[in-house]
PDB file of all heavy atoms in Angstrom:
ATOM      1  N   ALA I  18     -19.833 235.882  85.606  1.00  0.00           N
ATOM      2  CA  ALA I  18     -18.815 236.030  84.622  1.00  0.00           C
ATOM      3  C   ALA I  18     -17.783 236.957  85.197  1.00  0.00           C
ATOM      4  O   ALA I  18     -18.078 237.968  85.848  1.00  0.00           O
ATOM      5  CB  ALA I  18     -19.328 236.553  83.283  1.00  0.00           C
ATOM      6  N   ALA I  19     -16.475 236.689  84.873  1.00  0.00           N
ATOM      7  CA  ALA I  19     -15.413 237.542  85.425  1.00  0.00           C
ATOM      8  C   ALA I  19     -15.106 238.713  84.508  1.00  0.00           C
ATOM      9  O   ALA I  19     -13.999 239.279  84.567  1.00  0.00           O
ATOM     10  CB  ALA I  19     -14.158 236.674  85.686  1.00  0.00           C
ATOM     11  N   PHE I  20     -15.997 239.072  83.634  1.00  0.00           N
ATOM     12  CA  PHE I  20     -15.835 240.239  82.758  1.00  0.00           C
ATOM     13  C   PHE I  20     -17.156 240.994  82.742  1.00  0.00           C
ATOM     14  O   PHE I  20     -18.045 240.717  83.532  1.00  0.00           O
ATOM     15  CB  PHE I  20     -15.408 239.767  81.415  1.00  0.00           C
ATOM     16  CG  PHE I  20     -16.311 238.642  80.795  1.00  0.00           C
ATOM     17  CD1 PHE I  20     -17.420 239.007  80.027  1.00  0.00           C
ATOM     18  CD2 PHE I  20     -16.022 237.314  80.984  1.00  0.00           C
ATOM     19  CE1 PHE I  20     -18.224 237.977  79.491  1.00  0.00           C
ATOM     20  CE2 PHE I  20     -16.828 236.314  80.463  1.00  0.00           C
ATOM     21  CZ  PHE I  20     -17.932 236.637  79.695  1.00  0.00           C
ATOM     22  N   ALA I  21     -17.241 241.995  81.879  1.00  0.00           N
ATOM     23  CA  ALA I  21     -18.424 242.863  81.814  1.00  0.00           C
ATOM     24  C   ALA I  21     -19.075 242.714  80.486  1.00  0.00           C
ATOM     25  O   ALA I  21     -18.507 242.325  79.461  1.00  0.00           O
ATOM     26  CB  ALA I  21     -18.015 244.311  82.093  1.00  0.00           C
ATOM     27  N   ARG I  22     -20.370 243.034  80.497  1.00  0.00           N
ATOM     28  CA  ARG I  22     -21.111 243.118  79.274  1.00  0.00           C
ATOM     29  C   ARG I  22     -21.968 244.449  79.218  1.00  0.00           C
ATOM     30  O   ARG I  22     -22.481 244.848  80.220  1.00  0.00           O
ATOM     31  CB  ARG I  22     -22.083 241.978  79.100  1.00  0.00           C
ATOM     32  CG  ARG I  22     -21.425 240.659  78.708  1.00  0.00           C
ATOM     33  CD  ARG I  22     -22.213 239.492  78.739  1.00  0.00           C
ATOM     34  NE  ARG I  22     -21.587 238.356  77.994  1.00  0.00           N
ATOM     35  CZ  ARG I  22     -21.894 237.085  78.177  1.00  0.00           C
ATOM     36  NH1 ARG I  22     -22.880 236.717  79.034  1.00  0.00           N
ATOM     37  NH2 ARG I  22     -21.293 236.122  77.475  1.00  0.00           N
ATOM     38  N   VAL I  23     -21.966 245.055  78.051  1.00  0.00           N
ATOM     39  CA  VAL I  23     -22.835 246.199  77.781  1.00  0.00           C
ATOM     40  C   VAL I  23     -24.008 245.600  77.024  1.00  0.00           C
ATOM     41  O   VAL I  23     -23.837 245.001  75.943  1.00  0.00           O
ATOM     42  CB  VAL I  23     -22.176 247.350  77.087  1.00  0.00           C
ATOM     43  CG1 VAL I  23     -23.181 248.446  76.739  1.00  0.00           C
ATOM     44  CG2 VAL I  23     -21.099 247.893  77.932  1.00  0.00           C
ATOM     45  N   VAL I  24     -25.187 245.839  77.537  1.00  0.00           N
ATOM     46  CA  VAL I  24     -26.414 245.100  77.071  1.00  0.00           C
ATOM     47  C   VAL I  24     -27.475 246.054  76.590  1.00  0.00           C
ATOM     48  O   VAL I  24     -27.734 247.065  77.172  1.00  0.00           O
ATOM     49  CB  VAL I  24     -26.929 244.259  78.245  1.00  0.00           C
ATOM     50  CG1 VAL I  24     -28.074 243.375  77.809  1.00  0.00           C
ATOM     51  CG2 VAL I  24     -25.852 243.409  78.905  1.00  0.00           C
ATOM     52  N   ASP I  25     -28.154 245.650  75.516  1.00  0.00           N
ATOM     53  CA  ASP I  25     -29.369 246.220  75.007  1.00  0.00           C
ATOM     54  C   ASP I  25     -30.551 245.508  75.697  1.00  0.00           C
ATOM     55  O   ASP I  25     -30.889 244.458  75.248  1.00  0.00           O
ATOM     56  CB  ASP I  25     -29.418 246.163  73.520  1.00  0.00           C
ATOM     57  CG  ASP I  25     -30.731 246.779  72.892  1.00  0.00           C
ATOM     58  OD1 ASP I  25     -31.823 246.746  73.588  1.00  0.00           O
ATOM     59  OD2 ASP I  25     -30.643 247.317  71.813  1.00  0.00           O
ATOM     60  N   CYS I  26     -31.105 246.112  76.723  1.00  0.00           N
ATOM     61  CA  CYS I  26     -32.233 245.555  77.454  1.00  0.00           C
ATOM     62  C   CYS I  26     -33.555 246.124  76.953  1.00  0.00           C
ATOM     63  O   CYS I  26     -34.630 245.524  77.254  1.00  0.00           O
ATOM     64  CB  CYS I  26     -32.078 245.785  78.946  1.00  0.00           C
ATOM     65  SG  CYS I  26     -30.642 245.121  79.676  1.00  0.00           S
ATOM     66  N   ASP I  27     -33.593 247.228  76.301  1.00  0.00           N
ATOM     67  CA  ASP I  27     -34.794 247.896  75.893  1.00  0.00           C
ATOM     68  C   ASP I  27     -35.485 247.222  74.619  1.00  0.00           C
ATOM     69  O   ASP I  27     -36.682 246.979  74.620  1.00  0.00           O
ATOM     70  CB  ASP I  27     -34.575 249.343  75.529  1.00  0.00           C
ATOM     71  CG  ASP I  27     -34.222 250.214  76.792  1.00  0.00           C
ATOM     72  OD1 ASP I  27     -34.499 249.695  77.911  1.00  0.00           O
ATOM     73  OD2 ASP I  27     -33.668 251.295  76.636  1.00  0.00           O
ATOM     74  N   ARG I  28     -34.642 246.861  73.697  1.00  0.00           N
ATOM     75  CA  ARG I  28     -35.200 246.342  72.379  1.00  0.00           C
ATOM     76  C   ARG I  28     -35.175 244.795  72.347  1.00  0.00           C
ATOM     77  O   ARG I  28     -35.978 244.235  71.625  1.00  0.00           O
ATOM     78  CB  ARG I  28     -34.397 246.895  71.214  1.00  0.00           C
ATOM     79  CG  ARG I  28     -34.501 248.382  71.018  1.00  0.00           C
ATOM     80  CD  ARG I  28     -33.757 248.811  69.787  1.00  0.00           C
ATOM     81  NE  ARG I  28     -32.312 248.565  69.952  1.00  0.00           N
ATOM     82  CZ  ARG I  28     -31.438 248.556  68.990  1.00  0.00           C
ATOM     83  NH1 ARG I  28     -31.842 248.847  67.764  1.00  0.00           N
ATOM     84  NH2 ARG I  28     -30.109 248.410  69.220  1.00  0.00           N
ATOM     85  N   THR I  29     -34.223 244.161  73.053  1.00  0.00           N
ATOM     86  CA  THR I  29     -33.998 242.773  72.888  1.00  0.00           C
ATOM     87  C   THR I  29     -34.031 241.945  74.193  1.00  0.00           C
ATOM     88  O   THR I  29     -33.910 242.496  75.266  1.00  0.00           O
ATOM     89  CB  THR I  29     -32.626 242.464  72.171  1.00  0.00           C
ATOM     90  OG1 THR I  29     -31.569 243.016  73.076  1.00  0.00           O
ATOM     91  CG2 THR I  29     -32.557 243.183  70.838  1.00  0.00           C
ATOM     92  N   ASP I  30     -34.161 240.654  74.035  1.00  0.00           N
ATOM     93  CA  ASP I  30     -34.168 239.694  75.186  1.00  0.00           C
ATOM     94  C   ASP I  30     -33.401 238.479  74.655  1.00  0.00           C
ATOM     95  O   ASP I  30     -32.990 238.388  73.544  1.00  0.00           O
ATOM     96  CB  ASP I  30     -35.647 239.334  75.514  1.00  0.00           C
ATOM     97  CG  ASP I  30     -35.786 238.799  76.923  1.00  0.00           C
ATOM     98  OD1 ASP I  30     -34.776 238.455  77.543  1.00  0.00           O
ATOM     99  OD2 ASP I  30     -36.938 238.676  77.380  1.00  0.00           O
ATOM    100  N   TYR I  31     -33.228 237.545  75.551  1.00  0.00           N
ATOM    101  CA  TYR I  31     -32.552 236.292  75.159  1.00  0.00           C
ATOM    102  C   TYR I  31     -33.068 235.138  76.016  1.00  0.00           C
ATOM    103  O   TYR I  31     -33.613 235.343  77.059  1.00  0.00           O
ATOM    104  CB  TYR I  31     -31.044 236.419  75.306  1.00  0.00           C
ATOM    105  CG  TYR I  31     -30.470 236.163  76.694  1.00  0.00           C
ATOM    106  CD1 TYR I  31     -29.665 235.071  76.910  1.00  0.00           C
ATOM    107  CD2 TYR I  31     -30.709 237.063  77.768  1.00  0.00           C
ATOM    108  CE1 TYR I  31     -29.086 234.836  78.195  1.00  0.00           C
ATOM    109  CE2 TYR I  31     -30.159 236.846  79.019  1.00  0.00           C
ATOM    110  CZ  TYR I  31     -29.354 235.720  79.214  1.00  0.00           C
ATOM    111  OH  TYR I  31     -28.858 235.505  80.467  1.00  0.00           O
ATOM    112  N   ARG I  32     -32.871 233.921  75.517  1.00  0.00           N
ATOM    113  CA  ARG I  32     -33.299 232.682  76.171  1.00  0.00           C
ATOM    114  C   ARG I  32     -32.230 231.627  76.186  1.00  0.00           C
ATOM    115  O   ARG I  32     -31.567 231.432  75.121  1.00  0.00           O
ATOM    116  CB  ARG I  32     -34.544 232.120  75.485  1.00  0.00           C
ATOM    117  CG  ARG I  32     -35.782 232.986  75.670  1.00  0.00           C
ATOM    118  CD  ARG I  32     -36.327 232.986  77.037  1.00  0.00           C
ATOM    119  NE  ARG I  32     -37.573 233.804  77.124  1.00  0.00           N
ATOM    120  CZ  ARG I  32     -37.609 235.067  77.340  1.00  0.00           C
ATOM    121  NH1 ARG I  32     -36.481 235.740  77.558  1.00  0.00           N
ATOM    122  NH2 ARG I  32     -38.799 235.724  77.448  1.00  0.00           N
ATOM    123  N   THR I  33     -31.926 231.072  77.262  1.00  0.00           N
ATOM    124  CA  THR I  33     -30.972 230.007  77.423  1.00  0.00           C
ATOM    125  C   THR I  33     -31.238 229.344  78.751  1.00  0.00           C
ATOM    126  O   THR I  33     -31.771 229.984  79.699  1.00  0.00           O
ATOM    127  CB  THR I  33     -29.496 230.439  77.361  1.00  0.00           C
ATOM    128  OG1 THR I  33     -28.640 229.342  77.545  1.00  0.00           O
ATOM    129  CG2 THR I  33     -29.147 231.472  78.387  1.00  0.00           C
ATOM    130  N   GLU I  34     -30.851 228.089  78.872  1.00  0.00           N
ATOM    131  CA  GLU I  34     -31.027 227.377  80.212  1.00  0.00           C
ATOM    132  C   GLU I  34     -29.931 227.702  81.206  1.00  0.00           C
ATOM    133  O   GLU I  34     -29.969 227.255  82.334  1.00  0.00           O
ATOM    134  CB  GLU I  34     -31.193 225.894  79.994  1.00  0.00           C
ATOM    135  CG  GLU I  34     -32.505 225.437  79.371  1.00  0.00           C
ATOM    136  CD  GLU I  34     -32.758 223.984  79.525  1.00  0.00           C
ATOM    137  OE1 GLU I  34     -31.831 223.252  79.932  1.00  0.00           O
ATOM    138  OE2 GLU I  34     -33.920 223.537  79.298  1.00  0.00           O
ATOM    139  N   ARG I  35     -28.898 228.403  80.742  1.00  0.00           N
ATOM    140  CA  ARG I  35     -27.811 228.793  81.666  1.00  0.00           C
ATOM    141  C   ARG I  35     -27.617 230.326  81.548  1.00  0.00           C
ATOM    142  O   ARG I  35     -26.550 230.787  81.070  1.00  0.00           O
ATOM    143  CB  ARG I  35     -26.497 228.030  81.295  1.00  0.00           C
ATOM    144  CG  ARG I  35     -26.561 226.598  81.580  1.00  0.00           C
ATOM    145  CD  ARG I  35     -25.188 225.953  81.460  1.00  0.00           C
ATOM    146  NE  ARG I  35     -25.232 224.547  81.721  1.00  0.00           N
ATOM    147  CZ  ARG I  35     -25.052 224.012  82.954  1.00  0.00           C
ATOM    148  NH1 ARG I  35     -24.880 224.776  83.982  1.00  0.00           N
ATOM    149  NH2 ARG I  35     -25.092 222.679  83.175  1.00  0.00           N
ATOM    150  N   PRO I  36     -28.576 231.061  82.108  1.00  0.00           N
ATOM    151  CA  PRO I  36     -28.421 232.502  82.018  1.00  0.00           C
ATOM    152  C   PRO I  36     -27.225 233.012  82.847  1.00  0.00           C
ATOM    153  O   PRO I  36     -26.959 232.503  83.926  1.00  0.00           O
ATOM    154  CB  PRO I  36     -29.749 233.033  82.628  1.00  0.00           C
ATOM    155  CG  PRO I  36     -30.677 231.852  82.639  1.00  0.00           C
ATOM    156  CD  PRO I  36     -29.795 230.681  82.750  1.00  0.00           C
ATOM    157  N   TRP I  37     -26.546 234.003  82.350  1.00  0.00           N
ATOM    158  CA  TRP I  37     -25.349 234.529  83.061  1.00  0.00           C
ATOM    159  C   TRP I  37     -25.739 235.504  84.124  1.00  0.00           C
ATOM    160  O   TRP I  37     -24.874 235.804  84.994  1.00  0.00           O
ATOM    161  CB  TRP I  37     -24.406 235.163  82.052  1.00  0.00           C
ATOM    162  CG  TRP I  37     -24.928 236.365  81.365  1.00  0.00           C
ATOM    163  CD1 TRP I  37     -25.917 236.412  80.417  1.00  0.00           C
ATOM    164  CD2 TRP I  37     -24.562 237.692  81.652  1.00  0.00           C
ATOM    165  NE1 TRP I  37     -26.133 237.690  80.054  1.00  0.00           N
ATOM    166  CE2 TRP I  37     -25.339 238.542  80.779  1.00  0.00           C
ATOM    167  CE3 TRP I  37     -23.650 238.331  82.469  1.00  0.00           C
ATOM    168  CZ2 TRP I  37     -25.255 239.908  80.799  1.00  0.00           C
ATOM    169  CZ3 TRP I  37     -23.542 239.676  82.498  1.00  0.00           C
ATOM    170  CH2 TRP I  37     -24.340 240.455  81.648  1.00  0.00           C
ATOM    171  N   THR I  38     -26.956 235.955  84.182  1.00  0.00           N
ATOM    172  CA  THR I  38     -27.408 236.906  85.217  1.00  0.00           C
ATOM    173  C   THR I  38     -28.904 236.687  85.441  1.00  0.00           C
ATOM    174  O   THR I  38     -29.639 236.198  84.556  1.00  0.00           O
ATOM    175  CB  THR I  38     -27.164 238.321  84.772  1.00  0.00           C
ATOM    176  OG1 THR I  38     -27.741 239.228  85.727  1.00  0.00           O
ATOM    177  CG2 THR I  38     -27.769 238.653  83.433  1.00  0.00           C
ATOM    178  N   LYS I  39     -29.413 237.076  86.627  1.00  0.00           N
ATOM    179  CA  LYS I  39     -30.795 237.077  86.890  1.00  0.00           C
ATOM    180  C   LYS I  39     -31.541 238.310  86.334  1.00  0.00           C
ATOM    181  O   LYS I  39     -32.701 238.331  86.242  1.00  0.00           O
ATOM    182  CB  LYS I  39     -31.085 236.953  88.388  1.00  0.00           C
ATOM    183  CG  LYS I  39     -30.798 235.629  88.996  1.00  0.00           C
ATOM    184  CD  LYS I  39     -31.142 235.588  90.489  1.00  0.00           C
ATOM    185  CE  LYS I  39     -30.878 234.207  91.039  1.00  0.00           C
ATOM    186  NZ  LYS I  39     -31.123 234.127  92.507  1.00  0.00           N
ATOM    187  N   GLN I  40     -30.749 239.356  86.025  1.00  0.00           N
ATOM    188  CA  GLN I  40     -31.295 240.584  85.488  1.00  0.00           C
ATOM    189  C   GLN I  40     -31.882 240.373  84.145  1.00  0.00           C
ATOM    190  O   GLN I  40     -31.490 239.435  83.390  1.00  0.00           O
ATOM    191  CB  GLN I  40     -30.215 241.689  85.405  1.00  0.00           C
ATOM    192  CG  GLN I  40     -29.824 242.276  86.754  1.00  0.00           C
ATOM    193  CD  GLN I  40     -29.117 243.553  86.554  1.00  0.00           C
ATOM    194  OE1 GLN I  40     -29.542 244.445  85.814  1.00  0.00           O
ATOM    195  NE2 GLN I  40     -27.981 243.722  87.215  1.00  0.00           N
ATOM    196  N   THR I  41     -32.786 241.260  83.779  1.00  0.00           N
ATOM    197  CA  THR I  41     -33.261 241.265  82.398  1.00  0.00           C
ATOM    198  C   THR I  41     -32.072 241.604  81.487  1.00  0.00           C
ATOM    199  O   THR I  41     -31.323 242.551  81.797  1.00  0.00           O
ATOM    200  CB  THR I  41     -34.307 242.343  82.214  1.00  0.00           C
ATOM    201  OG1 THR I  41     -35.508 242.019  83.065  1.00  0.00           O
ATOM    202  CG2 THR I  41     -34.810 242.475  80.777  1.00  0.00           C
ATOM    203  N   SER I  42     -31.895 240.881  80.397  1.00  0.00           N
ATOM    204  CA  SER I  42     -30.770 241.079  79.575  1.00  0.00           C
ATOM    205  C   SER I  42     -31.250 240.936  78.114  1.00  0.00           C
ATOM    206  O   SER I  42     -32.376 240.558  77.832  1.00  0.00           O
ATOM    207  CB  SER I  42     -29.636 240.094  79.903  1.00  0.00           C
ATOM    208  OG  SER I  42     -28.542 240.296  79.067  1.00  0.00           O
ATOM    209  N   GLY I  43     -30.314 241.297  77.221  1.00  0.00           N
ATOM    210  CA  GLY I  43     -30.628 241.099  75.765  1.00  0.00           C
ATOM    211  C   GLY I  43     -29.298 240.968  75.077  1.00  0.00           C
ATOM    212  O   GLY I  43     -28.372 240.352  75.525  1.00  0.00           O
ATOM    213  N   VAL I  44     -29.238 241.492  73.850  1.00  0.00           N
ATOM    214  CA  VAL I  44     -28.048 241.373  73.057  1.00  0.00           C
ATOM    215  C   VAL I  44     -26.931 242.211  73.766  1.00  0.00           C
ATOM    216  O   VAL I  44     -27.180 243.265  74.307  1.00  0.00           O
ATOM    217  CB  VAL I  44     -28.273 241.977  71.590  1.00  0.00           C
ATOM    218  CG1 VAL I  44     -26.907 242.050  70.871  1.00  0.00           C
ATOM    219  CG2 VAL I  44     -29.272 241.168  70.888  1.00  0.00           C
ATOM    220  N   TRP I  45     -25.722 241.657  73.730  1.00  0.00           N
ATOM    221  CA  TRP I  45     -24.630 242.282  74.457  1.00  0.00           C
ATOM    222  C   TRP I  45     -23.308 242.298  73.611  1.00  0.00           C
ATOM    223  O   TRP I  45     -23.226 241.619  72.637  1.00  0.00           O
ATOM    224  CB  TRP I  45     -24.357 241.544  75.803  1.00  0.00           C
ATOM    225  CG  TRP I  45     -24.036 240.079  75.619  1.00  0.00           C
ATOM    226  CD1 TRP I  45     -22.907 239.498  75.046  1.00  0.00           C
ATOM    227  CD2 TRP I  45     -24.909 238.918  75.913  1.00  0.00           C
ATOM    228  NE1 TRP I  45     -22.977 238.097  75.042  1.00  0.00           N
ATOM    229  CE2 TRP I  45     -24.216 237.744  75.570  1.00  0.00           C
ATOM    230  CE3 TRP I  45     -26.162 238.834  76.514  1.00  0.00           C
ATOM    231  CZ2 TRP I  45     -24.735 236.509  75.790  1.00  0.00           C
ATOM    232  CZ3 TRP I  45     -26.702 237.654  76.699  1.00  0.00           C
ATOM    233  CH2 TRP I  45     -25.965 236.442  76.349  1.00  0.00           C
ATOM    234  N   ILE I  46     -22.385 243.067  74.104  1.00  0.00           N
ATOM    235  CA  ILE I  46     -20.960 242.887  73.677  1.00  0.00           C
ATOM    236  C   ILE I  46     -20.138 242.607  74.951  1.00  0.00           C
ATOM    237  O   ILE I  46     -20.490 243.071  75.974  1.00  0.00           O
ATOM    238  CB  ILE I  46     -20.448 244.078  72.937  1.00  0.00           C
ATOM    239  CG1 ILE I  46     -20.162 245.282  73.827  1.00  0.00           C
ATOM    240  CG2 ILE I  46     -21.295 244.465  71.736  1.00  0.00           C
ATOM    241  CD1 ILE I  46     -19.392 246.433  73.155  1.00  0.00           C
ATOM    242  N   ASP I  47     -19.131 241.781  74.762  1.00  0.00           N
ATOM    243  CA  ASP I  47     -18.249 241.389  75.872  1.00  0.00           C
ATOM    244  C   ASP I  47     -17.075 242.327  76.045  1.00  0.00           C
ATOM    245  O   ASP I  47     -16.422 242.726  75.044  1.00  0.00           O
ATOM    246  CB  ASP I  47     -17.746 239.921  75.658  1.00  0.00           C
ATOM    247  CG  ASP I  47     -18.781 238.906  75.667  1.00  0.00           C
ATOM    248  OD1 ASP I  47     -19.767 239.096  76.481  1.00  0.00           O
ATOM    249  OD2 ASP I  47     -18.704 237.907  75.009  1.00  0.00           O
ATOM    250  N   ILE I  48     -16.778 242.636  77.297  1.00  0.00           N
ATOM    251  CA  ILE I  48     -15.607 243.522  77.622  1.00  0.00           C
ATOM    252  C   ILE I  48     -14.701 242.714  78.576  1.00  0.00           C
ATOM    253  O   ILE I  48     -15.060 242.466  79.726  1.00  0.00           O
ATOM    254  CB  ILE I  48     -16.028 244.867  78.235  1.00  0.00           C
ATOM    255  CG1 ILE I  48     -16.995 245.579  77.304  1.00  0.00           C
ATOM    256  CG2 ILE I  48     -14.766 245.733  78.499  1.00  0.00           C
ATOM    257  CD1 ILE I  48     -17.625 246.809  77.820  1.00  0.00           C
ATOM    258  N   PHE I  49     -13.528 242.332  78.054  1.00  0.00           N
ATOM    259  CA  PHE I  49     -12.573 241.491  78.884  1.00  0.00           C
ATOM    260  C   PHE I  49     -11.513 242.326  79.427  1.00  0.00           C
ATOM    261  O   PHE I  49     -10.796 243.053  78.680  1.00  0.00           O
ATOM    262  CB  PHE I  49     -12.018 240.364  78.026  1.00  0.00           C
ATOM    263  CG  PHE I  49     -13.065 239.501  77.385  1.00  0.00           C
ATOM    264  CD1 PHE I  49     -13.265 239.447  76.019  1.00  0.00           C
ATOM    265  CD2 PHE I  49     -13.797 238.613  78.201  1.00  0.00           C
ATOM    266  CE1 PHE I  49     -14.233 238.626  75.467  1.00  0.00           C
ATOM    267  CE2 PHE I  49     -14.748 237.773  77.604  1.00  0.00           C
ATOM    268  CZ  PHE I  49     -14.981 237.756  76.260  1.00  0.00           C
ATOM    269  N   PRO I  50     -11.189 242.204  80.741  1.00  0.00           N
ATOM    270  CA  PRO I  50     -10.089 242.927  81.286  1.00  0.00           C
ATOM    271  C   PRO I  50      -8.776 242.204  80.963  1.00  0.00           C
ATOM    272  O   PRO I  50      -8.742 240.935  80.851  1.00  0.00           O
ATOM    273  CB  PRO I  50     -10.348 242.904  82.832  1.00  0.00           C
ATOM    274  CG  PRO I  50     -11.162 241.690  83.006  1.00  0.00           C
ATOM    275  CD  PRO I  50     -11.979 241.482  81.760  1.00  0.00           C
ATOM    276  N   LEU I  51      -7.654 242.924  80.891  1.00  0.00           N
ATOM    277  CA  LEU I  51      -6.337 242.383  80.691  1.00  0.00           C
ATOM    278  C   LEU I  51      -5.509 242.621  81.966  1.00  0.00           C
ATOM    279  O   LEU I  51      -5.464 243.733  82.484  1.00  0.00           O
ATOM    280  CB  LEU I  51      -5.663 243.078  79.475  1.00  0.00           C
ATOM    281  CG  LEU I  51      -6.362 243.027  78.190  1.00  0.00           C
ATOM    282  CD1 LEU I  51      -5.676 243.845  77.117  1.00  0.00           C
ATOM    283  CD2 LEU I  51      -6.634 241.600  77.721  1.00  0.00           C
ATOM    284  N   ASP I  52      -4.796 241.548  82.414  1.00  0.00           N
ATOM    285  CA  ASP I  52      -4.076 241.618  83.666  1.00  0.00           C
ATOM    286  C   ASP I  52      -2.629 241.271  83.473  1.00  0.00           C
ATOM    287  O   ASP I  52      -2.285 240.618  82.498  1.00  0.00           O
ATOM    288  CB  ASP I  52      -4.733 240.706  84.710  1.00  0.00           C
ATOM    289  CG  ASP I  52      -6.036 241.206  85.162  1.00  0.00           C
ATOM    290  OD1 ASP I  52      -6.137 242.283  85.843  1.00  0.00           O
ATOM    291  OD2 ASP I  52      -7.111 240.558  84.856  1.00  0.00           O
ATOM    292  N   GLY I  53      -1.792 241.652  84.424  1.00  0.00           N
ATOM    293  CA  GLY I  53      -0.383 241.488  84.336  1.00  0.00           C
ATOM    294  C   GLY I  53       0.060 240.046  84.455  1.00  0.00           C
ATOM    295  O   GLY I  53      -0.548 239.245  85.150  1.00  0.00           O
ATOM    296  N   VAL I  54       1.197 239.742  83.716  1.00  0.00           N
ATOM    297  CA  VAL I  54       1.745 238.403  83.776  1.00  0.00           C
ATOM    298  C   VAL I  54       3.247 238.604  83.906  1.00  0.00           C
ATOM    299  O   VAL I  54       3.840 239.485  83.236  1.00  0.00           O
ATOM    300  CB  VAL I  54       1.445 237.603  82.455  1.00  0.00           C
ATOM    301  CG1 VAL I  54       2.252 236.326  82.390  1.00  0.00           C
ATOM    302  CG2 VAL I  54      -0.058 237.355  82.398  1.00  0.00           C
ATOM    303  N   VAL I  55       3.919 237.775  84.671  1.00  0.00           N
ATOM    304  CA  VAL I  55       5.383 237.943  84.948  1.00  0.00           C
ATOM    305  C   VAL I  55       6.211 236.886  84.229  1.00  0.00           C
ATOM    306  O   VAL I  55       7.365 237.147  83.847  1.00  0.00           O
ATOM    307  CB  VAL I  55       5.738 237.920  86.447  1.00  0.00           C
ATOM    308  CG1 VAL I  55       5.124 239.033  87.110  1.00  0.00           C
ATOM    309  CG2 VAL I  55       5.288 236.618  87.066  1.00  0.00           C
ATOM    310  N   SER I  56       5.644 235.707  83.985  1.00  0.00           N
ATOM    311  CA  SER I  56       6.462 234.653  83.309  1.00  0.00           C
ATOM    312  C   SER I  56       5.481 233.620  82.744  1.00  0.00           C
ATOM    313  O   SER I  56       4.366 233.456  83.263  1.00  0.00           O
ATOM    314  CB  SER I  56       7.481 233.990  84.200  1.00  0.00           C
ATOM    315  OG  SER I  56       6.838 233.170  85.174  1.00  0.00           O
TER     316      SER I  56
END
C-alpha cells in the first residue's frame, strides 16, 4: 500500500485472502499522505 497504517496487533487479528502485509496485523487506521499538484 502506498500509505501507512497504525495497527493494533496485541488485541486483534484479521482474515482476508488479500492481506496487505505478511506481518501480523489487526485493526488499523489509515494514514494517507498528501502531495503537490500543479494543474
Side-chain angles (χ1 to χ4, degrees):
F20 51 91
R22 282 172 167 162
V23 175
V24 186
D25 179 325
C26 299
D27 292 343
R28 297 181 295 166
T29 61
D30 201 347
Y31 83 113
R32 294 289 182 272
T33 177
E34 287 198 349
R35 290 189 180 273
W37 64 286
T38 174
K39 286 183 180 179
Q40 286 196 48
T41 299
S42 181
V44 175
W45 58 71
I46 70 169
D47 293 327
I48 304 176
F49 301 113
L51 304 176
D52 291 293
V54 172
V55 296
S56 71

